[in-house]
């Protein structure tokens, strides 16, 4: 791919890049090439297919060449293009936050499943715009009497805000608190909340777990994708993760539970009775995390959710009623 060559069509660029990234160890070279070229052209991936025979401008080629070089060196695609899809929504990502992963969507599923059992939480559930939430029509009688309190949800270690935004988007009556120890992460989360029109229903708090929150603050649901990579696992992470994603959001001590253990202990007092705690984990520490919950007298261990590969991925607990 040289600047002197005037005949680099979209199709030729893609084919050359797929082969190049494949030689450099990319796991999905075609997908990477298409995402990067679409970003360089400022179009959607599907638009590339209609433009196969078009020549790429020099500006596009230069921008694309730079991204391909960084990708071949190991930089994740999401950081190069600045966004990633999660639970049918697009989120800004920067090097200050983890890249959203499909496994974390299981926490959203756990939240929505729990909400279905809670009566008033129901409207707006499921993927789709929150405007689809049911409301009384002109022909339906209004319900007299006091309305139930809005459910309160905490996203601990919010990062790019994916869990907080999804909670606010798909549970339009909820009040959400997004907590992170990193001010840079909170800035990204707030921009994502603004993008999806839910920023006014999310409180952003810079805090180490619940330390900066009032002592009386309690929640109906606490979700977290905390650091959970043990010291041994850190050395085995793919280079794209180990060398580029923030270690603050990954590393969790010798056993992978340096953050999870205090999170469980604090959640036992921060949950309302009947409230849900959902934590994403490494399958390697599932047994240890389940035992940490059993050790809390105020919590009942719930069903562990497994990912598509059958590995334990989300640990659930319920605050006892009494």
């Amino acid at each position: 791919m040289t600047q002197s060559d005037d005949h680099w069509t979209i199709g030729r660029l893609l084919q050359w890049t797929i082969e190049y990234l494949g030689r450099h160890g990319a796991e999905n070279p075609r997908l990477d090439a298409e995402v990067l070229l679409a970003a360089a052209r400022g179009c959607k991936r599907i638009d590339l297919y209609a433009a196969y025979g078009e020549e790429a401008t020099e500006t596009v080629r230069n921008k694309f060449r730079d991204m391909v070089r960084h990708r071949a060196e190991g930089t994740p695609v999401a950081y190069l293009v600045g966004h990633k899809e999660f639970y049918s929504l697009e989120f800004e990502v920067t090097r200050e936050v983890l890249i959203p992963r499909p496994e974390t969507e299981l926490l959203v599923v756990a939240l929505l499943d729990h909400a279905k059992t809670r009566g008033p939480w129901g409207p707006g559930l499921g993927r789709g715009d929150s405007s689809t939430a049911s409301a009384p029509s002109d022909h339906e009688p209004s319900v007299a009497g006091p309305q139930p309190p809005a459910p309160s949800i905490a996203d601990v270690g919010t990062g790019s805000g994916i869990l907080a935004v999804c909670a606010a988007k798909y549970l339009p009556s909820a009040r959400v608190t997004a907590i992170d120890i990193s001010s840079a992460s909170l800035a990204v989360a707030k921009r994502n909340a603004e993008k999806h029109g839910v920023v006014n229903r999310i409180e952003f708090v810079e805090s180490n777990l619940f330390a900066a929150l009032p002592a009386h603050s309690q929640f109906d649901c606490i979700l977290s994708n905390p650091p959970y990579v043990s010291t041994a696992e850190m050395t085995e992470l793919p280079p794209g993760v180990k060398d580029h994603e923030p270690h603050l959001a990954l590393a969790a001590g010798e056993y992978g539970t340096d953050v999870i253990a205090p999170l469980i202990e604090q959640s036992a007092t921060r949950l309302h009775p009947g409230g849900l705690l959902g934590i994403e984990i490494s399958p390697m520490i599932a047994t240890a995390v389940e035992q940490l919950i059993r050790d809390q007298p105020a919590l009942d261990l719930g069903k562990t959710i497994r990912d598509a590969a059958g590995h334990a991925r989300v640990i659930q607990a319920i605050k006892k009623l009494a």
Side-chain angles (χ1 to χ4, degrees):
M1 203 192 317
T2 62
Q3 290 185 351
S4 59
D5 195 329
D6 294 329
H7 302 288
W8 282 99
T9 64
I10 297 301
R12 187 181 174 196
L13 277 175
L14 282 175
Q15 189 57 46
W16 185 91
T17 305
I18 291 166
E19 295 172 0
Y20 177 77
L21 291 179
R23 292 195 303 270
H24 283 76
E27 191 172 324
N28 298 294
R30 175 174 292 278
L31 178 61
D32 290 355
E34 291 178 354
V35 171
L36 293 176
L37 185 52
R41 293 186 79 232
C43 69
K44 297 179 179 179
R45 276 179 57 206
I46 195 170
D47 295 333
L48 297 176
Y49 296 98
Y52 252 51
E54 295 181 13
E55 288 191 15
T57 66
E58 183 176 347
T59 299
V60 167
R61 293 204 312 271
N62 289 339
K63 186 174 182 180
F64 182 55
R65 181 188 300 108
D66 186 59
M67 289 193 291
V68 169
R69 176 174 59 83
H70 284 292
R71 179 66 189 119
E73 293 170 352
T75 304
V77 170
Y79 288 151
L80 293 172
V81 301
H83 59 82
K84 181 74 173 181
E85 184 179 292
F86 178 84
Y87 212 80
S88 299
L89 301 174
E90 185 178 277
F91 288 87
E92 174 191 345
V93 293
T94 70
R95 291 178 182 269
E96 285 75 30
V97 300
L98 290 179
I99 297 169
R101 289 169 169 79
E103 293 81 6
T104 309
E105 292 188 351
L106 294 173
L107 280 171
V108 181
V109 173
L111 169 66
L112 299 183
D113 283 348
H114 182 69
K116 291 175 184 177
T117 72
R118 306 289 286 181
W121 292 29
L125 293 182
R127 302 187 184 215
D129 191 276
S130 61
S131 63
T132 60
S134 61
S137 71
D138 293 339
H139 304 289
E140 293 178 292
S142 60
V143 179
Q147 294 300 304
S152 55
I153 300 167
D155 173 15
V156 182
T158 193
S160 60
I162 53 176
L163 295 176
V165 169
C166 284
K169 189 77 172 177
Y170 298 121
L171 293 172
S173 65
R175 294 179 292 104
V176 182
T177 302
I179 303 166
D180 205 287
I181 198 171
S182 165
S183 59
S185 294
L186 287 172
V188 177
K190 188 171 184 179
R191 290 196 296 272
N192 279 320
E194 290 170 343
K195 176 179 181 178
H196 293 293
V198 294
V199 70
N200 292 332
R201 293 181 25 244
I202 301 177
E203 179 184 7
F204 299 88
V205 180
E206 185 176 344
S207 178
N208 183 0
L209 302 179
F210 297 99
L213 276 71
H216 63 270
S217 293
Q218 288 188 304
F219 302 92
D220 295 299
C221 182
I222 296 171
L223 301 176
S224 184
N225 178 15
Y228 56 67
V229 181
S230 68
T231 302
E233 281 187 282
M234 280 294 293
T235 64
E236 300 174 1
L237 290 177
V241 178
K242 181 172 58 178
D243 299 338
H244 295 276
E245 300 200 49
H247 283 204
L248 180 65
L250 292 168
E254 183 178 0
Y255 302 108
T257 56
D258 279 9
V259 177
I260 289 176
L263 171 62
I264 291 172
E265 182 178 2
Q266 294 179 34
S267 295
T269 61
R270 292 288 183 168
L271 280 169
H272 289 301
L276 170 73
L277 171 63
I279 307 173
E280 180 176 336
I281 59 156
S282 161
M284 302 291 290
I285 63 172
T287 300
V289 176
E290 290 172 346
Q291 186 59 50
L292 286 170
I293 290 174
R294 290 191 184 98
D295 291 342
Q296 287 296 323
L299 298 177
D300 281 326
L301 180 64
K303 179 182 178 181
T304 295
I305 302 176
R306 298 183 177 273
D307 60 23
H311 300 135
R313 187 59 65 179
V314 170
I315 301 292
Q316 299 183 95
I318 300 294
K319 176 71 172 287
K320 293 179 180 178
L321 297 178

